[in-house]
Amino acid sequence: MNVKPLTVVTVLAAIVGALAPVALSAYLAREEATRTEKDRALFYALDVLERSEAVTDQIDIGIKRLVASHESNPCSASSQALMKEIDLSSSYIQAIGHIAANRILCSSLGAELDGQDLGPVDMVRPSGVRLWLNVRFPFAKDVGFLAVERDGFVAIVHKNLPIDTTTHIKGAALATIAYPEARVITGSGHIESKWIQAVAREPKAFIDEKYVVAVAAPRKYFIGAICALPIAELDRRIYANSLVTIPAGLLASLLLAWAIFQIAQARTAMPAVIKCALKRREFFLEYQPLVELSTGKWMGAEALIRWRRMKGEVVKPDVFIPVAEESGLIQQVSQYVVDEVAAEAGELFRRFPDFHIGINLAAADLHDDGTVLMLRKLVEQTGAHPSCIVIEATERSFTDHNRASDVIARLRSEGFPVAIDDFGTGYSSLSYLERIKFNYLKIDKSFVDTLNTDAPTSEVILHIISMAKSLNIEMIAEGVETEQQAQFLRERGVQYAQGWLYGRPMPLSRLLHTLQAHDASSEARDESNRRIHQ
Ligand code: C2E
Ligand code: CA
Ligand code: CA
């Protein structure tokens, strides 16, 4: 099987291109899920931090009040009354009392706690605050308490209070951490020591193998917080997101694949369609007038091909001419154009023997001797003088200088003038200008457009004009749309112009009609001048 490498590349590009939306939707599902899960972990870590700060606030205020109020006896009746008041008015504190040698001597709970030994201290904070992390009392054996002591007073809180945030997530871990000691104060679930070390200035979240971890840095009390959510939660969320994004991605992929297929099919089918259109004679010509800038007189017209398909749809030459060139059909198109001119322009040449018709030729025409015969025949059929058939050849057709220059030399020797079309757009070296002699240079519309603008290329047209002058080639400016452009070109010595300012492409009948009307009015003018001078 003969498969062109280009086709394989195109198919591969189409597959990769079409799969892109699916890949993108999978990526988006993961990204969105990761972001949400990290946000959730951060939310819990910050919540734990806030709770532990609120608990610490209450303990701090309570102990400060007791220290300030007691005189010599911390267990005086008034001090114990204050303990009760603090306990009742603080939402987090379970009990508050006086302690000496790790033993509670009196408290807001009265006789219940008196004489309780808290045992050895678990942690002494840099501030001097001492902590017992898991105290058990005989009256509530199943509950662990946190005891915080400062200046002889101790506050008792439920150990799980700071981490009592409702995550409802199986396998989630929460903890409050003492910094700089980097030790867990209260915690539930599995906490890795590297997460504790990962504390930063800002709260941050990251993925560590089996967990999405968030660390809230200490703000007020050298206490930080950690939340770790099992990775299964993230996977579940990715899956849920994928259920939405993947079908959308698949749909986009299918649409894209369909579009790529349609375009590819249209491109490969186009040559066959052009061939068929040539047979069915779906093409026709329009003629755009070309004027002498100094007088405004119509000197000639460029034949421009038009394609109206059977269903009435119009295809632009910019679309089908390149396809015809690539697929080797362009010479058939040129023959078609010449045949059309032959069939319809006879009367024009009879009535206006000096009028020019410009015909666009392609590289393939300029590489083929048959082109000379084709144009010779046109001259015979229409009775036109060869000097009235102007050949328009784009810069692109001079890639093979030698072959093009032979055919052009023969055309010129037979009397056909030759114009370089779209001058300045071909990116080719200008060396062909020395080898091939031209009659006209058509300044491309893109340069005319820059006139009277600040475009950086607006100077280029001046160089083109001075070059044409030094080569002694007459100039035709294309795409002239305003009187200012015409004025500029006239002042710089450009001889001819073509553009909407003077006339859009039109059917031959209208061209002929307008020429006759011009003719009649100038004859009338001549007649009246003759009478005046008699
Ligand atoms: P081109 O040879 O440069 O033809 C001039 C193009 O500029 C024409 O477009 C014309 O309609 C357009 N034009 C003229 N004056 C103005 C103006 O003032 N403003 C604007 N905006 N446009 C203006 P068209 O007819 O669409 O042709 C496009 C191109 O297709 C032609 O460019 C030529 O390269 C090619 N083409 C057209 N007919 C033939 C043909 O019979 N044979 C070959 N080989 N190529 C052709
Ligand atoms: Ca042209
Ligand atoms: Ca042109």
Side-chain angles (χ1 to χ4, degrees):
M1 196 171 60
N2 180 17
V3 180
K4 287 187 191 166
L6 195 68
T7 321
V8 176
V9 171
T10 313
V11 169
L12 282 178
I15 293 171
V16 171
L19 283 178
V22 176
L24 183 70
S25 56
Y27 170 79
L28 287 179
R30 170 168 287 274
E31 277 298 291
E32 212 281 324
T34 308
R35 196 176 47 78
T36 312
E37 209 51 21
K38 279 182 175 174
D39 282 353
R40 197 153 74 123
L42 269 174
F43 171 83
Y44 289 133
L46 285 168
D47 192 41
V48 167
L49 185 66
E50 248 153 50
R51 281 164 168 276
S52 59
E53 282 171 355
V55 171
T56 313
D57 277 344
Q58 287 190 1
I59 295 172
D60 196 46
I61 293 167
I63 292 181
K64 266 190 191 135
R65 285 183 68 194
L66 287 169
V67 170
S69 73
H70 90 90
E71 286 157 8
S72 54
N73 180 8
C75 285
S76 67
S78 64
S79 190
Q80 287 198 43
L82 183 58
M83 285 173 192
K84 282 204 177 86
E85 189 211 312
I86 293 167
D87 184 353
L88 285 174
S89 60
S90 311
S91 49
Y92 294 130
I93 294 175
Q94 262 87 43
I96 191 158
H98 169 54
I99 188 169
N102 299 350
R103 192 179 290 276
I104 296 172
L105 300 183
C106 59
S107 78
S108 55
L109 291 189
E112 207 83 64
L113 277 184
D114 290 354
Q116 269 298 323
D117 189 353
L118 299 186
V121 165
D122 291 314
M123 203 188 287
V124 181
R125 310 262 10 227
S127 58
V129 168
R130 303 192 305 155
L131 298 179
W132 289 261
L133 300 181
N134 191 17
V135 178
R136 302 275 167 170
F137 296 116
F139 51 83
K141 281 204 181 102
D142 297 336
V143 187
F145 291 91
L146 187 69
V148 182
E149 184 268 341
R150 204 187 76 205
D151 297 331
F153 291 97
V154 67
I156 312 283
V157 295
H158 203 293
K159 188 172 156 245
N160 287 334
L161 205 57
I163 54 171
D164 186 21
T165 171
T166 45
T167 64
H168 297 304
I169 300 168
K170 220 174 122 202
L174 294 168
T176 57
I177 313 288
Y179 289 104
E181 305 94 309
R183 278 184 62 188
V184 173
I185 301 174
T186 58
S188 68
H190 171 74
I191 299 286
E192 293 261 349
S193 66
K194 61 182 170 189
W195 303 341
I196 300 173
Q197 306 300 334
V199 67
R201 276 172 186 275
E202 294 288 318
K204 66 170 184 182
F206 52 91
I207 294 181
D208 180 39
E209 289 173 26
K210 292 187 197 145
Y211 294 91
V212 176
V213 185
V215 183
R219 303 184 290 204
K220 213 168 165 186
Y221 293 114
F222 301 99
I223 299 170
I226 286 178
C227 169
L229 301 177
I231 206 85
E233 284 293 302
L234 175 62
D235 294 341
R236 191 188 51 74
R237 198 175 285 278
I238 292 172
Y239 177 72
N241 283 356
S242 304
L243 287 182
V244 179
T245 61
I246 302 263
L250 263 172
L251 192 69
S253 276
L254 283 174
L255 284 174
L256 199 67
W258 180 80
I260 292 172
F261 180 74
Q262 291 294 319
I263 292 168
Q265 207 189 29
R267 274 203 74 90
T268 48
M270 183 84 125
V273 179
I274 294 175
K275 230 183 214 168
C276 187
L278 283 165
K279 244 187 238 152
R280 290 186 183 166
R281 304 209 70 77
E282 287 177 12
F283 298 97
F284 62 97
L285 299 183
E286 283 190 328
Y287 297 81
Q288 186 178 32
L290 185 150
V291 305
E292 188 174 47
L293 270 167
S294 58
T295 60
K297 191 175 172 222
W298 288 18
M299 306 299 291
E302 177 180 0
L304 292 162
I305 195 164
R306 301 288 177 254
W307 182 9
R308 179 164 288 119
R309 299 188 61 182
M310 284 304 199
K311 290 179 196 155
E313 147 206 12
V314 175
V315 188
K316 292 191 62 149
D318 295 335
V319 176
F320 65 85
I321 293 289
V323 178
E325 283 179 350
E326 278 170 35
S327 58
L329 287 171
I330 193 66
Q331 286 188 272
Q332 290 183 46
V333 173
S334 299
Q335 182 66 60
Y336 190 104
V337 170
V338 168
D339 289 348
E340 283 293 295
V341 173
E344 63 186 8
E347 190 188 348
L348 176 96
F349 288 123
R350 264 196 307 284
R351 301 187 72 135
F352 301 95
D354 295 330
F355 199 77
H356 294 177
I357 292 290
I359 292 179
N360 291 286
L361 290 187
D365 297 311
L366 298 176
H367 296 162
D368 183 357
D369 290 338
T371 303
V372 182
L373 297 177
M374 173 175 82
L375 293 167
R376 208 185 272 162
K377 205 166 152 213
L378 173 67
V379 166
E380 282 164 15
Q381 284 171 312
T382 55
H385 191 270
S387 66
C388 293
I389 306 291
V390 181
I391 303 309
E392 297 199 5
T394 60
E395 246 186 307
R396 277 176 293 123
S397 32
F398 306 132
T399 40
D400 186 345
H401 293 184
N402 291 335
R403 291 176 67 190
S405 69
D406 282 354
V407 174
I408 289 177
R410 285 193 54 197
L411 286 170
R412 290 210 49 187
S413 73
E414 302 227 355
F416 296 102
V418 181
I420 324 172
D421 203 355
D422 301 342
F423 186 79
T425 62
Y427 305 106
S428 68
S429 113
L430 295 180
S431 59
Y432 66 85
L433 285 172
E434 290 169 2
R435 310 173 103 259
I436 311 174
K437 295 283 172 268
F438 294 96
N439 303 80
Y440 301 104
L441 182 155
K442 295 192 85 169
I443 302 170
D444 191 69
K445 177 176 185 299
S446 55
F447 301 112
V448 174
D449 284 343
T450 64
L451 291 180
N452 308 316
T453 68
D454 302 332
T457 49
S458 60
E459 294 279 304
V460 176
I461 191 161
L462 297 175
H463 296 296
I464 295 177
I465 292 172
S466 70
M467 196 179 68
K469 281 182 180 166
S470 68
L471 288 164
N472 213 7
I473 307 179
E474 288 197 298
M475 292 164 274
I476 304 165
E478 290 188 295
V480 177
E481 291 181 349
T482 66
E483 186 48 52
Q484 286 101 305
Q485 292 170 334
Q487 180 70 17
F488 181 99
L489 295 160
R490 229 185 332 258
E491 282 167 7
R492 300 297 183 293
V494 174
Q495 295 86 351
Y496 305 102
Q498 190 181 340
W500 293 354
L501 178 63
Y502 305 104
R504 297 206 179 202
M506 58 185 82
L508 189 98
S509 57
R510 181 130 58 89
L511 180 80
L512 198 56
H513 188 263
T514 317
L515 280 174
Q516 281 164 346
H518 280 185
D519 210 34
S521 68
S522 64
E523 260 173 30
R525 209 171 37 241
D526 290 352
E527 175 66 13
S528 80
N529 279 347
R530 206 154 29 89
R531 287 216 189 116
I532 290 166
H533 290 106
Q534 264 175 358

